[in-house]
Amino acid sequence: MKLRIATYNIHKGVSTLGSMPRIHALKQALASMEADILFLQEVQGRHDKYATRHAALWPDQGQHQFLAGESHYAAYGMNAVYDHGHHGNALLSRYPLVTATNQDVSDHAFEARGILHCVVKAESCDVHCYVIHLGLFARSRKRQTAALIEAVETSSPPDAPLIIAGDFNDWTNQLSDSLRTRLGVTEVFDEDLPRRGFGTYLRMLSGRGVMTKPARTFPAALPWLRLDRIYVRGFRVHEAQVLHGALWAKLSDHAPIVASLELK
């Protein structure tokens, strides 16, 4: 079984400057990815002010439903709630969703965060998918990663195919080792790393293995920080790429990651 997947922080469907709606252009861009499963962050479930101010450009549905259209099933995890609306994570899947649950992992009152766990009924098996958007503070991310590990260990069988994707805000790459050790996952860009060199030799001698570096995805106009990730278990990674350039820079402040997987 082969899957094409993507993760994307869509910045609530509005431009970084001026907060102009970009949701219709986003829908076209997502369709061009031809992804079977999309892991989306900062999805606007409702925003009364934008709906009133930009009535002709703002969909009547929640963004997860609008972006899913007729081609994908959709699940939405509402995290941040305010007087005029709410936003959170979403998963869009070409395959049916068996279950969808959202777990609150907010670490303080100023950042509402959640883990959206969906079981996707793919062609040959169920795939456990987790959409994540971690906090801006290192201590929060560490505690939220511990909550993610516990959630995966308690909600999916240890041998189940697994995909964890989203905006980790982990620009110093402090969280990958614990995910790899506890959950047996790999990041989709691991295979692109050089395996030779004196630095690699020293790390191998010390038992630390090859230095791993996720892809640069932020800011979208000139990606520099390594914020967005896709971790997998039970899949071979055939290809992974960051989509960047003028088009993507207009749609969000993050660049999306697209990966092609095959079940082992």
Side-chain angles (χ1 to χ4, degrees):
M1 180 185 71
K2 294 182 179 180
L3 288 176
R4 184 170 172 84
I5 66 170
T7 185
Y8 196 11
N9 181 326
I10 66 170
H11 199 258
K12 302 173 189 172
V14 297
S15 62
T16 305
L17 298 176
S19 295
M20 290 300 296
R22 294 285 186 267
I23 190 65
H24 290 274
L26 264 168
K27 185 171 184 176
Q28 292 181 337
L30 293 183
S32 73
M33 295 179 184
E34 298 183 335
D36 299 303
I37 306 175
L38 298 107
F39 298 69
L40 304 180
Q41 306 86 52
E42 292 195 20
V43 177
Q44 197 78 63
R46 194 187 102 230
H47 198 295
D48 296 340
K49 292 182 179 179
Y50 287 151
T52 301
R53 190 181 309 154
H54 306 289
L57 301 175
W58 198 259
D60 295 331
Q61 305 166 287
Q63 289 182 351
H64 56 293
Q65 297 166 316
F66 176 74
L67 295 173
E70 297 182 358
S71 61
H72 287 67
Y73 298 88
Y76 172 63
M78 181 171 58
N79 297 326
V81 182
Y82 25 88
D83 290 342
H84 55 274
H86 49 79
H87 70 266
N89 300 322
L91 185 126
L92 311 184
S93 171
R94 203 179 302 276
Y95 299 102
L97 303 180
V98 180
T99 60
T101 57
N102 194 53
Q103 177 183 339
D104 184 3
V105 292
S106 303
D107 197 55
H108 51 81
F110 302 102
E111 287 185 304
R113 306 292 182 179
I115 301 170
L116 177 61
H117 171 214
C118 300
V119 179
V120 175
K121 191 172 187 59
E123 291 177 359
S124 57
C125 65
D126 290 347
V127 180
H128 287 258
C129 299
Y130 298 82
V131 193
I132 191 76
H133 186 185
L134 300 187
L136 295 174
F137 301 102
R139 291 183 179 178
S140 295
R141 292 194 297 273
K142 187 174 182 179
R143 286 189 283 267
Q144 289 161 352
T145 299
L148 171 63
I149 291 171
E150 181 180 2
V152 172
E153 289 178 336
T154 57
S155 63
S156 62
D159 58 347
L162 179 72
I163 305 172
I164 304 170
D167 178 358
F168 282 75
N169 274 317
D170 180 29
W171 52 85
T172 56
N173 197 23
Q174 298 296 307
L175 306 176
S176 291
D177 286 347
S178 59
L179 290 169
R180 288 184 175 90
T181 301
R182 292 285 299 276
L183 300 178
V185 296
T186 58
E187 214 276 326
V188 293
F189 287 96
D190 285 355
E191 295 301 319
D192 291 339
L193 296 168
R195 301 290 169 170
R196 298 180 182 179
F198 188 63
T200 299
Y201 175 70
L202 290 178
R203 287 184 63 84
M204 296 298 288
L205 280 181
S206 65
R208 292 180 292 166
V210 177
M211 175 70 78
T212 56
K213 291 184 179 180
R216 303 180 192 272
T217 58
F218 183 91
L222 188 64
W224 180 252
L225 296 179
R226 308 174 190 275
L227 301 188
D228 303 272
R229 317 275 170 83
I230 300 176
Y231 296 94
V232 299
R233 184 180 72 197
F235 292 95
R236 296 183 183 87
V237 181
H238 286 297
E239 181 185 19
Q241 60 178 321
V242 177
L243 305 180
H244 56 84
L247 168 64
W248 300 103
K250 294 177 182 178
L251 297 178
S252 174
D253 52 349
H254 287 248
I257 297 173
V258 179
S260 297
L261 312 176
E262 185 175 6
L263 188 68
K264 290 183 178 178

